[in-house]
C-alpha cells in the first residue's frame, strides 16, 4: 500500500513534469514563430501597425456617399490624382487596370482613384476616365476640405498651381480654387499607391516606379501571409 506522503510526492512530481512539458512546448512554438522569416516584398512598405480608416465624407463616381463597407472584406489600392493629368495618372491607372485583369480570379482586390481636382472632375468625367482603364475601378470625389483630410490621413501630398493676372499662385490642399482660375491649371500630387487591408485599415504603400508583376507578387504575399 502506498502511503499518503508517497501519493502526495507522486502528485507533485506529475504536476512538475506537466509544467515542464507545457513550458517546452510553448518555448518551441514561440521560437518557431520568431525564427520564421518575415515576408520579403519587392517594393511594398508596410506600417508597423495598420491605422483604421475614419469615415470620409466622399462620394463615388455615381454620386453615392461611401461608407466604411467600401473598404471591408477586400484589399484596396488607393491612388490620388486628377483626370486632366497629362502623364502620371494615365500611366499608373493603366498599370492598375492591368493588375486587376491579371488578378481577375481574385475578387479580394479593388482599385480606388481619389480625385484631388473637384472643380474640374465631375461625376461624368470621373466615370468615363476610370472606366477607360478598367470597369471595376472606383473613383471618389469630395469637397476640397474633405479631400485634404483624406490625403492627410494617408500622407499623400498635393497642391495646385495657377496663373492669375500674370502671377503664379500656389493653392494648397483644402483650399478652393480662387476666382479667375479657369480650367487651365496644374495639380501637383504624390504618386504612392496606398494599401488598405480587408479590415478597413491603412497598412502601407507602394513606392514608384511600379511594375505590375511585382505588385501582383507583393499582393499575393500579403493576402496569404
Amino acid at each position: 500500500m502506498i502511503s499518503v506522503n508517497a501519493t502526495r510526492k507522486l502528485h507533485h512530481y506529475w504536476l512538475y513534469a506537466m509544467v515542464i512539458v507545457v513550458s517546452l512546448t510553448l518555448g518551441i512554438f514561440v521560437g518557431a514563430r520568431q525564427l520564421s522569416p518575415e515576408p520579403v516584398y519587392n517594393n511594398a512598405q508596410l506600417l508597423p501597425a495598420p491605422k483604421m480608416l475614419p469615415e470620409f465624407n466622399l462620394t463615388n463616381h455615381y454620386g453615392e456617399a461611401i461608407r466604411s463597407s467600401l473598404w471591408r472584406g477586400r484589399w484596396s489600392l488607393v491612388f490620388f490624382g486628377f483626370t486632366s493629368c497629362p502623364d502620371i495618372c494615365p500611366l499608373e491607372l493603366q498599370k492598375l487596370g492591368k493588375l486587376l485583369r491579371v488578378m481577375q480570379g481574385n475578387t479580394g482586390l479593388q482599385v480606388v482613384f481619389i480625385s484631388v481636382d473637384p472643380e474640374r472632375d465631375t461625376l461624368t468625367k470621373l466615370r468615363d476616365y476610370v472606366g477607360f482603364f478598367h470597369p471595376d475601378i472606383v473613383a471618389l470625389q469630395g469637397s476640397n476640405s474633405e479631400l485634404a483630410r483624406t490625403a492627410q490621413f494617408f500622407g499623400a501630398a498635393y497642391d495646385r498651381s495657377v496663373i492669375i493676372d500674370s502671377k503664379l499662385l500656389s493653392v494648397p490642399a483644402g483650399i478652393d480654387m480662387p476666382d479667375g482660375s479657369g480650367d487651365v491649371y496644374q495639380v501637383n500630387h504624390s504618386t504612392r499607391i496606398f494599401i488598405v487591408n480587408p479590415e478597413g485599415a491603412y497598412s502601407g504603400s507602394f513606392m514608384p516606379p511600379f511594375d505590375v508583376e511585382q505588385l501582383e507578387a507583393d499582393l499575393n504575399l500579403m493576402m496569404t501571409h
Side-chain angles (χ1 to χ4, degrees), residues 5-222:
N5 288 335
T7 302
R8 287 176 178 171
K9 286 182 179 180
L10 287 173
H11 181 66
H12 290 160
Y13 289 147
W14 181 83
L15 286 176
Y16 182 67
M18 287 297 296
V19 169
I20 291 176
V21 170
V22 171
S23 298
L24 288 173
T25 303
L26 287 175
I28 292 171
F29 175 75
V30 172
R33 290 287 299 273
Q34 291 176 342
L35 291 174
S36 61
E38 288 296 317
V40 177
Y41 298 105
N42 292 298
N43 64 350
Q45 298 179 352
L46 301 187
L47 300 178
K51 295 166 50 181
M52 290 302 299
L53 269 66
E55 288 286 351
F56 295 128
N57 187 21
L58 303 173
T59 59
N60 64 19
H61 54 264
Y62 294 106
E64 303 163 337
I66 68 163
R67 298 288 181 262
S68 58
S69 57
L70 173 70
W71 313 105
R72 303 281 182 169
R74 76 198 90 183
W75 289 87
S76 300
L77 300 181
V78 181
F79 186 77
F80 290 83
F82 63 114
T83 65
S84 303
C85 183
D87 42 31
I88 295 174
C89 294
L91 179 62
E92 306 310 347
L93 284 175
Q94 184 179 30
K95 293 177 184 177
L96 290 172
K98 181 180 178 181
L99 179 65
L100 286 175
R101 286 188 288 274
V102 168
M103 300 185 69
Q104 62 184 351
N106 191 328
T107 57
L109 177 67
Q110 71 175 349
V111 171
V112 178
F113 175 76
I114 301 181
S115 168
V116 291
D117 187 13
E119 283 85 0
R120 291 183 296 187
D121 284 348
T122 63
L123 290 178
T124 301
K125 249 188 175 181
L126 283 172
R127 275 198 304 271
D128 293 342
Y129 188 70
V130 296
F132 175 79
F133 299 102
H134 195 284
D136 293 336
I137 295 178
V138 178
L140 302 181
Q141 66 165 196
S143 66
N144 276 305
S145 59
E146 189 63 17
L147 289 170
R149 186 174 80 93
T150 306
Q152 184 178 30
F153 173 82
F154 284 101
Y158 74 93
D159 61 19
R160 280 77 58 82
S161 301
V162 61
I163 297 176
I164 299 179
D165 296 331
S166 302
K167 295 180 180 178
L168 179 63
L169 301 179
S170 178
V171 182
I175 305 299
D176 294 343
M177 292 297 293
D179 294 338
S181 297
D183 289 332
V184 182
Y185 53 85
Q186 180 61 33
V187 180
N188 313 296
H189 61 92
S190 57
T191 56
R192 281 179 182 250
I193 295 175
F194 301 95
I195 307 165
V196 177
N197 68 25
E199 286 70 48
Y202 165 39
S203 58
S205 62
F206 290 105
M207 283 289 291
F210 306 117
D211 176 85
V212 174
E213 287 72 23
Q214 290 184 351
L215 289 175
E216 179 192 11
D218 281 359
L219 285 167
N220 283 327
L221 193 56
M222 284 181 212

